[in-house]
Amino acid sequence: MSSTRAAAFYTAEQFITRYPTHRLVSKHILSARAGIVVYLEHDTIFTLSYEHTSADLWIIVAAGVRATVYDIRDPQADACKHQATVIWVHTGAELTYHLVDAPEQHSVCHKELSVEVEAAGRATLYALFAGGVDTRYVCNFTGHGQGAQVVVRGAYLVHTTQKFSYQAQQIHTVAGVSTDCLLKGVAADAANVVYNGRINIGIAASGSTAVQINKNMVIGDAAQVKTDPQLEVLNNQVSCKHAAAVGSVDADALLYLAARGLRVQVAQNLLLQGFLYDVFADAQASSMRALLAKRLATFLR
Amino acid sequence: MSESYIFKAAHGLNRSIVTQISEQKNEPGWMTDFRLSALAQFESMPMPTWGPDLSALDPDDICYYLKAAPQKNNWDEVPANIRSTFQALGIPQAEQKYLAGVGAQYESEVIYKALKKKWADQGVVFSDMNDGLKNFPELVKKYFATIIPAHDNKFAALNSAVWSGGSFVYVPAGVVVDMPLQAYFRINAPNIGQFERTLIIAEPGSSVHYVEGCSAPAYRTNSLHSAVVELVALQKAHIRYTTIQNWSSNVYNLVTKRALAYRDARVEWVDGNFGSAVTMKYPCVVLKEPGARAQVISIAVAGSDQQQDAGAKVIHLASDTSSTILAKSISNKGGISSYRGLVKAVKGLRNVHAQVQCDALLLDGLSASNTYPSIVVTGKSVQVNHEASVSSVSQEQLLYARSRGLSEQKARALIVNGFIDAFTHELPMEYAVEINRLIALQMEGSVG
């Protein structure tokens, strides 16, 4: 793990000693096996790198801090096979998190990701998932106070006989929280994608805004996509939407491009690029677009 | 209770009760065997735990068969107490005006059935299921329980064991029945189960619109309505099946409905759920051959102490098939509405399109709305889209309506009726008016 002066590092024990009342301790650290806490105390751009450890990872952004984190996971590292990552964004803080998780093709990875945001805080997560023979993600996105925002923009590339399972909950228990999750993916060959999303709006969560979208492009005759976007709403002062789509490359668009001289394969690749780039359309996700282009080129070969 | 019955089975369910029902109906041996086999399946299956709570439903405290009166085809011959119930519901009057035929089921048996001569002359059959079995044994045997087998789910097994009444509809090839056939189901006694079984067969090129209505008076104890409805739409046939369910809040409404659509056939479920304590109903269409189309339009209104767990399923088994599902729900006074659905496309299909839209309206902070859709697609050339939203009555809409002189209650009712317009638009005019009235009743006292 590399470090800068803007971040402080703690083992679980050290963190508990220093911040015994931090909610992260009771909620996550005490029940974990072992892990590392990265405490971002000042505005920073920070890059994580993984060593050969199965430790969990807790990232805290201090109140009012603006931080950008790059979490580009090494395909060769065993470290991230069974890992829980918890991101805690304090009041008024802003975090932009770039995650590329591309485990080695034969890896079986079961991971957990939690993003918890306090009042007026904002977490934006850009994620790209590719690789692994069986990758499972269990995610929780929670807002803890008025004005908390969680934005997730994710893409996945699944091919051969790979399995990709993504289970996510957008949890609204207090008023004035906003969550917005968009996940798009391509399933090729005989790949298997399972998406389980749920928006939970509690009885006290007035003024919540929640959006959940999952879109899939299937380009393999034997590829299977199962998508279950769910809503559970107990408050009427909310705006909640979800959408899911499973489709294939638009034949009319293919014809349009082919008529302009592109080979069908090239045209299809172009359309898939367009489909996925939309996920990383934000200006601050430009590096994710570059990483996606690289992965997509390999994927489509 | 002052009513007398021709036959009433003891409460609870066992082989003896099932055999008695079959003997009462003088059924062929294969049907008795089918019932007993289904009973064993019912007993071996656990109660479903994935939906609403069914723990208050006591299967041992239900009368599974109750015959009130023999069947007639003239309202004047129906016993006065039963006739008055259906007159109060407006059934005989509707029959005169705009229906091709009417069936009325009271408790376990159909007590009235009539089909206008014009359709009978063209070979259309509209009878109760028991008469269908007697008069068209080969046809019934060919299709009965092939679309919903007894082992499909616990309540399909229960219905298969104790079914009674329901409709048997047969529309010959090329016959277009351009007026609706209506069946009305009434549970009048407390602690009774109604288990009608309906089979509709539309031969190639035919068309039929079947409408069912349901109601029951409120008792302190629970009743159970567990129907099985099977539809077969053969090549280029069209079946529209409309349900207006307005059970009282002591009725558990646990229904299995499924249709098979063959080449270029069209099946439409128009499903209105207004009453009951718990409804679990997910009308399904299996698109078996190319060109088949399905449409499901539903509305669920959950008021105080009600759970409407409704939805739709479409299974695409062939290329060049399409489906649309539009589900609307309204939750009010603490009611819980859930949409639960499935769109599935099997491997190797081409040119398949499916569209699902679920809109929920939450009218107060006590109520709840859930959406549990599932999409399963294998292979490319399949396009499935799902959208859902949950919202409340907007203050802007209310202000607009009130500034034009409407009271808050009327303004809310107007907005809610607008919300379900896509559903009422699909109904015959008389039903659309009735639905708007039902909504207004459900909304009473909901202001503030």
Side-chain angles (χ1 to χ4, degrees):
Chain A
M1 192 83 65
S2 64
S3 66
T4 71
R5 277 180 295 176
F9 301 99
Y10 305 93
T11 63
E13 292 75 20
Q14 287 168 338
F15 187 80
I16 291 166
T17 306
R18 179 142 187 199
Y19 300 100
T21 58
H22 197 288
R23 286 171 72 186
L24 190 65
V25 172
S26 57
K27 206 167 172 191
H28 296 283
I29 295 180
L30 285 176
S31 58
R33 293 154 300 173
I36 297 164
V37 180
V38 180
Y39 205 141
L40 303 173
E41 296 171 309
H42 304 285
D43 291 1
T44 184
I45 296 174
F46 185 80
T47 302
L48 292 163
S49 67
Y50 285 84
E51 297 163 1
H52 291 262
T53 167
S54 60
D56 290 346
L57 177 65
W58 301 291
I59 296 168
I60 303 172
V61 186
V65 165
R66 289 185 172 200
T68 300
V69 173
Y70 289 91
D71 183 356
I72 314 299
R73 301 186 176 184
D74 182 350
Q76 302 306 318
D78 291 329
C80 51
K81 277 187 181 174
H82 305 285
Q83 190 198 45
T85 302
V86 180
I87 296 168
W88 195 285
V89 178
H90 277 281
T91 306
E94 279 187 33
L95 172 69
T96 305
Y97 198 94
H98 299 77
L99 169 67
V100 177
D101 194 5
E104 191 270 325
Q105 290 297 331
H106 301 292
S107 293
V108 175
C109 308
H110 297 173
K111 305 180 189 188
E112 291 168 30
L113 173 64
S114 295
V115 178
E116 313 221 17
V117 181
E118 294 182 355
R122 179 184 170 99
T124 305
L125 172 69
Y126 298 108
L128 171 60
F129 307 104
V133 68
D134 183 356
T135 301
R136 292 183 208 174
Y137 260 85
V138 177
C139 305
N140 288 300
F141 306 116
T142 312
H144 290 290
Q146 183 78 35
Q149 294 179 61
V150 180
V151 177
V152 178
R153 297 287 179 264
Y156 47 85
L157 304 170
V158 195
H159 65 160
T160 60
T161 55
Q162 289 177 335
K163 291 179 183 171
F164 178 70
S165 164
Y166 180 89
Q167 185 183 323
Q169 281 203 84
Q170 294 165 238
I171 303 164
H172 294 243
T173 53
V174 298
V177 170
S178 161
T179 61
D180 178 355
C181 298
L182 166 66
L183 207 71
K184 283 185 168 187
V186 177
D189 307 322
N192 185 292
V193 172
V194 177
Y195 174 91
N196 265 297
R198 181 173 288 198
I199 294 173
N200 281 106
I201 307 283
I203 202 156
S206 294
S208 289
T209 305
V211 178
Q212 178 193 193
I213 299 171
N214 173 234
K215 294 187 176 182
N216 299 274
M217 194 76 92
V218 181
I219 59 170
D221 283 328
Q224 185 178 70
V225 174
K226 183 174 188 295
T227 177
D228 293 335
Q230 303 183 349
L231 283 173
E232 289 190 348
V233 182
L234 298 176
N235 189 301
N236 67 328
Q237 300 302 315
V238 297
S239 171
C240 276
K241 291 176 184 171
H242 74 197
V246 182
S248 53
V249 176
D250 181 13
D252 291 341
L254 263 184
L255 180 68
Y256 180 89
L257 293 172
R260 274 143 189 84
L262 293 183
R263 284 187 296 115
V264 171
Q265 191 61 48
V266 173
Q268 175 173 297
N269 293 356
L270 199 62
L271 291 169
L272 291 175
Q273 269 183 25
F275 171 69
L276 290 172
Y277 276 27
D278 175 45
V279 175
F280 303 128
D282 299 346
Q284 56 190 347
S286 58
S287 60
M288 291 300 285
R289 285 198 295 277
L291 290 163
L292 172 63
K294 198 173 150 192
R295 290 281 166 196
L296 195 57
T298 312
F299 177 80
L300 294 173
R301 267 204 301 275
Chain B
M1 193 173 63
S2 60
E3 288 198 65
S4 60
Y5 298 102
I6 292 175
F7 181 84
K8 185 175 181 182
H11 281 213
L13 186 60
N14 52 47
R15 285 179 66 88
S16 168
I17 296 276
V18 171
T19 309
Q20 276 178 37
I21 293 171
S22 193
E23 281 171 358
Q24 278 286 320
K25 296 170 181 295
N26 197 20
E27 289 177 343
W30 70 266
M31 184 56 80
T32 311
D33 294 343
F34 170 79
R35 286 178 181 275
L36 291 170
S37 164
L39 175 66
Q41 284 165 330
F42 169 72
E43 288 170 340
S44 69
M45 289 175 169
M47 288 289 265
T49 53
W50 43 266
D53 180 14
L54 300 177
S55 58
L57 183 65
D58 181 2
D60 294 328
D61 193 27
I62 283 174
C63 170
Y64 286 86
Y65 182 73
L66 198 163
K67 184 173 182 176
Q71 189 182 138
K72 303 291 178 188
N73 55 14
N74 183 337
W75 280 110
D76 293 337
E77 294 172 23
V78 173
N81 62 324
I82 298 175
R83 188 174 66 233
S84 63
T85 301
F86 285 100
Q87 276 171 338
L89 292 164
I91 307 302
Q93 300 89 321
E95 181 185 6
Q96 295 297 323
K97 287 181 191 165
Y98 57 87
L99 296 172
V102 162
Q105 179 157 341
Y106 192 82
E107 318 299 14
S108 298
E109 291 290 1
V110 174
I111 51 88
Y112 176 85
K113 207 87 178 183
L115 176 68
K116 285 187 175 154
K117 187 171 179 299
K118 175 185 172 185
W119 306 111
D121 288 347
Q122 292 187 54
V124 175
V125 178
F126 178 44
S127 71
D128 80 273
M129 196 63 219
N130 304 110
D131 284 348
L133 178 61
K134 257 180 222 154
N135 300 328
F136 304 92
E138 294 308 315
L139 205 51
V140 170
K141 199 169 182 181
K142 183 177 175 185
Y143 290 108
F144 188 91
T146 57
I147 303 151
I148 303 172
H151 60 76
D152 190 82
N153 65 71
K154 188 170 180 72
F155 291 96
L158 176 62
N159 176 284
S160 299
V162 297
W163 72 267
S164 182
S167 298
F168 173 73
V169 178
Y170 175 79
V171 188
V175 175
V176 176
V177 185
D178 56 10
M179 297 169 86
L181 299 171
Q182 176 165 344
Y184 202 92
F185 297 92
R186 175 78 177 177
I187 297 176
N188 228 51
N191 286 104
I192 188 181
Q194 191 175 65
F195 306 96
E196 84 268 14
R197 184 103 191 182
T198 292
L199 172 62
I200 299 178
I201 302 161
E203 290 283 2
S206 67
S207 176
V208 64
H209 182 189
Y210 179 92
V211 183
E212 67 172 6
C214 323
S215 72
Y219 290 107
R220 283 186 197 165
T221 51
N222 294 322
S223 295
L224 171 61
H225 174 253
S226 183
V228 165
V229 176
E230 298 175 291
L231 312 184
V232 184
L234 294 161
Q235 290 81 348
K236 293 187 179 175
H238 169 223
I239 300 177
R240 169 173 278 216
Y241 194 108
T242 299
T243 303
I244 307 296
Q245 177 266 102
N246 189 28
W247 295 115
S248 57
S249 57
N250 57 305
V251 175
Y252 281 73
N253 183 40
L254 313 172
V255 174
T256 311
K257 294 181 168 181
R258 192 170 301 151
L260 281 189
Y262 288 82
R263 182 176 288 272
D264 297 325
R266 187 155 56 101
V267 174
E268 297 160 334
W269 295 104
V270 180
D271 200 37
N273 299 294
F274 296 89
S276 81
V278 172
T279 286
M280 292 175 78
K281 181 167 35 154
Y282 321 99
C284 172
V285 185
V286 180
L287 301 168
K288 254 182 96 74
E289 291 184 348
R293 285 176 288 162
Q295 184 178 35
V296 184
I297 299 175
S298 70
I299 171 83
V301 182
S304 177
D305 297 323
Q306 286 186 305
Q307 283 197 60
Q308 300 285 5
D309 202 275
K313 294 181 187 175
V314 180
I315 315 292
H316 292 258
L317 296 181
S319 295
D320 303 314
T321 50
S322 65
S323 62
T324 59
I325 296 171
L326 174 62
K328 302 258 182 183
S329 72
I330 299 167
S331 305
N332 191 23
K333 302 175 189 170
I336 301 171
S337 297
S338 300
Y339 169 84
R340 206 179 292 274
L342 169 70
V343 175
K344 185 173 184 178
V346 300
K347 190 177 171 183
L349 304 186
R350 291 281 179 272
N351 193 26
V352 168
H353 294 272
Q355 177 74 35
V356 183
Q357 186 182 332
C358 308
D359 298 320
L361 199 57
L362 273 171
L363 293 180
D364 60 31
L366 304 169
S367 306
S369 174
N370 307 316
T371 310
Y372 307 107
S374 189
I375 299 168
V376 183
V377 171
T378 305
K380 53 190 184 182
S381 294
V382 173
Q383 184 71 46
V384 183
N385 293 307
H386 169 94
E387 287 176 43
S389 67
V390 178
S391 57
S392 57
V393 173
S394 84
Q395 291 304 312
E396 289 82 0
Q397 286 174 321
L398 264 183
L399 182 67
Y400 181 88
R402 294 206 65 193
S403 69
R404 272 139 188 84
L406 295 180
S407 67
E408 181 164 351
Q409 178 138 339
K410 281 188 176 168
R412 277 178 179 267
L414 184 73
I415 292 163
V416 170
N417 283 330
F419 175 75
I420 62 161
D421 183 57
F423 173 80
T424 48
H425 191 70
E426 296 294 328
L427 300 173
M429 176 62 79
E430 294 76 7
Y431 293 92
V433 171
E434 182 67 12
I435 296 308
N436 286 344
R437 199 180 63 81
L438 277 173
I439 295 284
L441 276 175
Q442 184 68 259
M443 299 271 299
E444 267 181 14
S446 66
V447 173

